Amino acid sequence: MSHKDSMTETESRAAKVMQRADRMASFSETPEHLTRAYLTPEHKLAHAQLASWMLEAGLETWQDSVGNQWGRKVSANPTMPTLILGSHSDTVANAGRYDGNLGVLLALEALEALGDVELPYHVDVVAFADEEGTRFNTTLIGSSGVAGCFQPSWLEVEDANGVSMASAMDSFGLEPQVAGSDSRVDEEILAYLEVHIEQGPVLEAQNLPVGVVTGIAGAKRYEMTVKGMAGHAGTVPIGLRQDAFCGVAQMVTEIENYALEHDIVATVGKCEVLPGAVNVIPGEVRFTLDIRSLSQHQLETCCETLLEKLAAIAKLRSLSFESRNIYQAQAVLCDEVLQHKWANVVEKHTQQTACFLPSGAGHDAMVMAQVANIGMLFVRCDKGISHHPAESVTTEDVSVALDCFIDMVQSFAP
Ligand SMILES: [Zn+2]
């Protein structure tokens, strides 16, 4: 096969992936917006579609105990553990069509392209049924089921309509009492590979179609309460106030400066001013802080120092300050050998030096890291936009990612 012919084949496969992404986007709660949540009729239809494409690609298919859809390229003589490729098939509300789904479709297409190639290991593709947590606010349910960390307490969690996860599983045709019982163990996994849109602007800025992910940032979230003294906006002199919001304004500036100095990201995304009247001095402010870093150590020390700084600002202004940690996720590094392998195939197919970049967003890979070495590849997306209908990738970039994925899947053979 000439070089030109092989280019044409991958390009037509990439075009097929794009069409399939459009088709997947049609399985939605409403026709105007793409929303596909866990254990819904849309989930069922989308996975039935994936299963039929998997069969077409010659894969063995099954659904697991938490509703993930699997396909396997069966090895006639497996002498090594199984390679797992995957991403998620659920979406946020009013989503774009590539977040998660592109990774599933690329994995499936890579296996179809390798139809006649005999490998000494099975290769599984998995569509995780819940990553976003759109319905139950509990994220990463699909990969948790596979990695052996599905929490039975999640079954009691209710959606906005008061339907528990257990009863939603029941209506979907799953047995909640065995949810997570078919998890996989590390000795049986060769590696976990995930291709995902970048969801940020780095690759676009560097004019590169794909990039190698170094790891997934750890995150901590806090809820802060700052209390001062409410009072009359006209009668209390400016120098005699305990204005909680003025204190918080200074804190937010401190947070931004600190993040800039320490090369981390920190965001105050929610702020509530009380009592919230035009003529009353703010007596209390509640705000959130989301802080992330690829280095768990740096995350811990930065949070500690920053909280001290905020408390000091409060003290200077005679305000009370309380912080409550409401969420934390450990930073997870991608396996160095797998990063290297990705870089090799990327350089082969782009003729450019591979770009290594961290992920600021969470992914199924961070849960799969509990049972497997993980390797991730990012695909450039337009302006870094994601979780939005304007999410967009080009067929050319998808074609490069597919070439890389096809090589990567075969690269474990001795
Ligand atoms: Zn995603």
Side-chain angles (χ1 to χ4, degrees), residues 73-79 83 111 114 117-123 409-413:
K73 175 176 160 51
V74 177
S75 168
N77 181 27
T79 56
L83 177 63
L111 294 193
L114 290 169
V117 178
E118 184 53 40
L119 295 168
Y121 40 89
H122 298 314
V123 187
V409 169
Q410 302 175 85
S411 71
F412 298 84

Side-chain angles (χ1 to χ4, degrees), residues 32-45:
E32 318 78 72
H33 304 299
L34 169 55
T35 303
R36 190 165 60 246
Y38 187 44
L39 304 173
T40 58
E42 306 78 72
H43 164 186
K44 182 151 263 179
L45 289 168

Side-chain angles (χ1 to χ4, degrees), residues 88 99-100 131-132 196 199 363:
H88 61 95
D99 180 350
E131 189 265 0
E132 305 284 7
H196 200 282
Q199 302 183 270
H363 294 292

Side-chain angles (χ1 to χ4, degrees), residues 382-397:
D382 187 36
K383 298 180 193 71
I385 295 169
S386 73
H387 286 189
H388 188 278
E391 198 175 274
S392 161
V393 294
T394 67
T395 311
E396 292 72 32
D397 290 357

Side-chain angles (χ1 to χ4, degrees), residues 221-293:
R221 290 181 192 154
Y222 295 88
E223 222 166 56
M224 318 290 192
T225 306
V226 177
K227 284 185 186 159
M229 181 64 80
H232 195 290
T235 59
V236 184
I238 198 82
L240 296 178
R241 295 181 179 190
Q242 288 163 268
D243 185 325
F245 191 49
C246 287
V248 169
Q250 193 182 344
M251 289 178 193
V252 173
T253 309
E254 177 68 41
I255 290 166
E256 187 189 28
N257 289 337
Y258 186 84
L260 277 167
E261 279 165 25
H262 293 81
D263 198 29
I264 55 170
V265 286
T267 307
V268 175
K270 216 171 128 184
C271 184
E272 193 187 359
V273 180
L274 299 169
V278 67
N279 57 352
V280 182
I281 299 164
E284 180 173 335
V285 176
R286 296 177 200 150
F287 69 99
T288 58
L289 172 64
D290 174 303
I291 176 163
R292 304 185 194 207
S293 168

Side-chain angles (χ1 to χ4, degrees), residues 110-149:
L111 294 193
E112 187 163 335
L114 290 169
D116 299 330
V117 178
E118 184 53 40
L119 295 168
Y121 40 89
H122 298 314
V123 187
D124 288 358
V125 48
V126 56
F128 294 116
D130 175 273
E131 189 265 0
E132 305 284 7
T134 305
R135 182 167 180 187
F136 294 101
N137 281 318
T138 309
T139 60
L140 299 155
I141 297 167
S143 44
S144 297
V146 177
C149 47

